[in-house]
Structures are given as structure tokens and as C-alpha cells.
Amino acid sequence: MQIAPNSVAEIDYTLTGDDGQVLDSTEGRESLAYLHGAGTIIPGLENALSGKQAGDEIRITLQPEDGYGVRDESLLQSVPAEQFAEVDDLQIGMRFRVQMKEGPMVFTVMKIADNQVTVDGNHPLAGKTLHFDVKVQDVRDATAEEIAHGHVHGPGGRAH
Ligand code: ZN
């Protein structure tokens, strides 16, 4: 069967950047199962998988706008180090979820100097051109419960 809205696709993928560096991969992990049409994976990838079936392999390149968005430099901010007073051993690369007016945001610590901490609210993959190598392993109908929840249950999905 083909990947279509309300089907569950199980995929293996490797994501590389323009420089060939592997950014993410299911290699050595469980395949990713997702509910097609529910917006749980990035739109450009979801569109490219539409109509594919088990055994199909695709390679796609997504511009930042179709991936994790372009970088917003206003999300790069310097805050006083005392705001992190409760954090033991603050280090570059640490990520913090902060509740903002617009909803939860994740900030990454980029720099620590002179009692100031530079944090970046951009997704780590924002601004990057993404190259996906994807192999479709399995396609099945979603259960009514999965459709109601908007995500996949069982292997490769959520356990709850
Ligand atoms: Zn659920």
C-alpha cells in the first residue's frame, strides 16, 4: 500500500548537511514510525514520502524553509549568568526549555563569558540545507486510536 493520510509509515533515514556531516540517523536505532498527514515530521519530508511504498528509497534535498526554518538572529541573546544560578556546572551545548508567551522554546547555551551567557533559541538545524536518504520499511493503516491521538503507538511510536 502507498503512504497516504491516516497511514503509518516506518522509515529508516540518514540526514546529512551540505558538508556531508551526518546530523541524524536511524542507523543502529529503531526505525521511525510516523502517522502520515499529521504534521509530526517536517513538511518537506512528509510531502516527498506521499505515495511511496515499502521498499522505496528516496533522496531529497530540502532548503531551510522546507526544513527547520531559516535562522532568526533575534533569538540569539545574551542573558546575565545569574539567571542560571540553579544550574550546576553550566556548559556550552546545554539545552533548556523555557516557557515563553508564544509557547515553550528550547534555548542552547552557545557561549559563557564575563558573567553573560549567550543562548540561541533557533532549532539546531535551522538555516541548514538538509539531505535525506530515506528507505520505506513498512506501510500500514493507522488504527482509529492513532488517528484520534495524532501519533503512532507501538514499535517506533509512543508507548503510553
Ligand atoms: Zn496516543
Side-chain angles (χ1 to χ4, degrees):
M1 64 180 285
Q2 293 185 327
I3 299 177
N6 296 335
S7 64
V8 170
E10 200 179 300
I11 59 171
D12 283 328
Y13 68 89
T14 296
L15 169 61
T16 46
D18 269 341
D19 54 5
Q21 185 198 358
V22 174
L23 301 170
D24 190 16
S25 177
T26 53
E27 200 177 323
R29 299 203 312 242
E30 206 173 14
S31 301
L32 172 74
Y34 78 96
L35 176 63
H36 193 78
T40 55
I41 63 172
I42 57 174
L45 182 58
E46 191 164 54
N47 289 341
L49 283 164
S50 194
K52 298 291 181 288
Q53 46 196 348
D56 284 352
E57 292 183 56
I58 59 169
R59 178 172 170 82
I60 57 164
T61 296
L62 299 178
Q63 298 308 312
E65 302 77 39
D66 300 316
Y68 290 92
V70 294
R71 282 186 56 81
D72 177 353
E73 296 308 326
S74 73
L75 296 177
L76 196 62
Q77 294 169 0
S78 186
V79 297
E82 63 240 32
Q83 290 195 12
F84 293 90
E86 301 157 14
V87 181
D88 290 333
D89 194 20
L90 185 71
Q91 288 185 13
I92 288 165
M94 281 183 165
R95 306 186 78 195
F96 296 91
R97 183 179 287 269
V98 180
Q99 194 62 44
M100 309 287 280
K101 279 199 300 281
E102 305 79 18
M105 281 190 67
V106 175
F107 286 90
T108 307
V109 175
M110 306 302 287
K111 192 174 141 195
I112 307 166
D114 303 325
N115 290 318
Q116 292 282 314
V117 177
T118 305
V119 294
D120 189 355
N122 287 286
H123 189 282
L125 297 178
K128 288 196 191 293
T129 300
L130 309 173
H131 303 276
F132 278 99
D133 282 291
V134 185
K135 178 159 191 193
V136 180
Q137 297 292 359
D138 188 43
V139 186
R140 64 169 172 85
D141 287 319
T143 64
E145 191 186 47
E146 286 172 326
I147 293 167
H149 285 204
H151 57 237
V152 173
H153 295 158
R158 286 194 210 182
H160 69 135

